[in-house]
Amino acid sequence: MWLCLSSLRCTNLATPWPANRWEAAPIRLCSGRLAEWPRRPAATLWCIAAGPLVNVGLFPILSGAVFLARRLGWPDIAPDAYQFTVSLWLIDLVLLVFNMLPIFPLDGGQILQSLLWFSFGYARSLMIAASLGLVGVAALIWFAINSHQWWLGVMCGLVVLYCWGGLQRARALSRLAAAPKHQGLACPACREAPPLGPVWMCGQCRQGFDVFASRGVCPNCGAQVAVVPCLACGTASPIQAYETQV
């Protein structure tokens, strides 16, 4: 069981690694707390689905290995090797089922949020996924209490914290989306006008400022901003490209 949980933790830590290729913005969103700017839905969906797809690909291979081991008589002639093969198959199955639960921030919940992102936008999709995650984790807590699985209760507590953080982030992004917009500027990808105010955070001094009002220069440390990610779609574009879209 502990091997299974360790594997699950390693999988969750490794999942964001390929997503770093899609992060090209040197500034961050400033909404009262430090938060990464949202990526594109297709890129996020692909990066999150990579982990469960590995388990899906391994499942028929490990199932075939267990079947072949039984046919060769491993339970009698090599019981340790047979038990090891069965354990690998069981770990892969548990990881696949657990990660595909539609509970944010598990892979299944993040896949659901990425799919909803296409229709509802990042903020609303995150709020829906986090809300459903709280409902799902409540069911898991009830199961953990009735089955006396303390380790599952600890994991549920962590999931609750992640869900609550997701709700707070979604609310902050919703407020920014409803904020006044810059007139005469538009994102070159989605044509959405950027918000007014110091909603951007310098990547060097972490001072909030309005990247468009300061013409891409941090007024605190003088750092130059090369590209600006759009609040609506997450696409990073040069600041000059916003001026040519009106």
Side-chain angles (χ1 to χ4, degrees), residues 109-231:
Q110 294 192 56
I111 289 174
L112 174 63
Q113 187 259 325
S114 299
L115 293 174
L116 294 174
W117 189 346
F118 289 99
S119 301
F120 298 101
Y122 180 79
R124 290 186 62 189
S125 65
L126 179 58
M127 185 170 295
I128 294 173
S131 300
L132 292 176
L134 288 175
V135 175
V137 78
L140 285 179
I141 292 175
W142 177 85
F143 174 79
I145 294 176
N146 284 273
S147 59
H148 302 92
Q149 300 288 341
W150 63 269
W151 60 269
L152 183 58
V154 173
M155 294 183 63
C156 289
L158 296 176
V159 172
V160 169
L161 293 178
Y162 273 104
C163 289
W164 181 251
L167 283 175
Q168 297 303 311
R169 175 173 167 80
R171 290 170 181 170
L173 289 173
S174 297
R175 289 194 296 268
L176 283 177
K181 308 294 183 181
H182 275 283
Q183 299 297 323
L185 298 175
C187 170
C190 67
R191 306 301 177 91
E192 183 74 17
L196 280 165
V199 298
W200 311 91
M201 182 174 290
C202 177
Q204 294 188 12
C205 67
R206 298 188 177 182
Q207 180 71 29
F209 71 105
D210 190 332
V211 65
F212 294 98
S214 62
R215 308 292 298 177
V217 179
C218 175
N220 185 58
C221 67
Q224 295 282 340
V225 175
V227 292
V228 179
C230 174
L231 172 64

Side-chain angles (χ1 to χ4, degrees), residues 182-186 191 241-246:
H182 275 283
Q183 299 297 323
L185 298 175
R191 306 301 177 91
Y242 283 79
E243 302 174 355
T244 61
Q245 298 302 316
V246 295

Side-chain angles (χ1 to χ4, degrees), residues 56-128:
V56 171
L58 287 175
F59 184 76
I61 297 176
L62 293 176
S63 298
V66 172
F67 176 79
L68 181 61
R70 288 179 179 175
R71 298 285 294 182
L72 294 176
W74 280 20
D76 298 324
I77 62 176
D80 292 339
Y82 176 74
Q83 186 61 41
F84 177 75
T85 306
V86 173
S87 298
L88 290 179
W89 174 83
L90 182 60
I91 289 174
D92 183 72
L93 178 62
V94 171
L95 288 176
L96 177 60
V97 173
F98 192 79
N99 273 321
M100 290 310 297
L101 293 176
I103 299 175
F104 190 85
L106 300 179
D107 288 343
Q110 294 192 56
I111 289 174
L112 174 63
Q113 187 259 325
S114 299
L115 293 174
L116 294 174
W117 189 346
F118 289 99
S119 301
F120 298 101
Y122 180 79
R124 290 186 62 189
S125 65
L126 179 58
M127 185 170 295
I128 294 173

Side-chain angles (χ1 to χ4, degrees), residues 22-37:
W22 305 93
E23 296 289 353
I27 58 177
R28 297 183 177 190
L29 176 64
C30 180
S31 58
R33 58 188 298 177
L34 193 62
E36 294 292 343
W37 200 270

